Amino acid sequence: MGKEEFKEALFDAVESFIEHKLTLSGKALIMNYFNDEKGDTTLERAVATMLKYAQKDFPPADVRSKRLKAALNRLAYEAKSWDEE
């Protein structure tokens, strides 16, 4: 079950970051990017995937929307849970 919750959290985080709803092809591309990413943790791979997909950097923490902050917190939680399985 952890993988599905993580995928949902990743998609939500990307949507919050780019401020647009993802298409099915966008979700497929994100998963391709994620599967190709190198990193020590699932969260590192997810963040690298988000940056690659969005083609921009994260805004400074003090100007991030509440939605983005919540989505990133959920992503971190789900990534950690998946790593611990």
Side-chain angles (χ1 to χ4, degrees):
M1 280 284 265
K3 183 177 180 182
E4 287 306 311
E5 283 90 357
F6 169 76
K7 281 174 52 175
E8 288 176 22
L10 178 57
F11 296 150
D12 183 50
V14 172
E15 288 178 345
S16 298
F17 184 35
I18 64 172
E19 299 177 337
H20 292 285
K21 189 88 172 138
L22 289 170
T23 62
L24 289 177
S25 60
K27 290 178 180 183
L29 183 59
I30 287 168
M31 291 315 300
N32 284 336
Y33 285 168
F34 178 78
N35 289 332
D36 290 342
E37 259 326 308
K38 305 290 185 251
D40 292 332
T41 66
T42 300
L43 182 58
E44 286 178 14
R45 293 172 59 205
V47 169
T49 296
M50 291 177 68
L51 294 172
K52 184 175 183 177
Y53 182 81
Q55 298 285 309
K56 64 179 183 177
D57 290 327
F58 286 105
D62 60 334
V63 296
R64 292 178 187 168
S65 69
K66 287 182 182 180
R67 180 178 178 214
L68 179 57
K69 289 177 186 178
L72 291 173
N73 285 337
R74 179 176 171 223
L75 178 64
Y77 174 82
E78 294 297 346
K80 185 176 185 214
S81 295
W82 191 19
D83 285 344
E84 291 174 350
E85 282 186 0

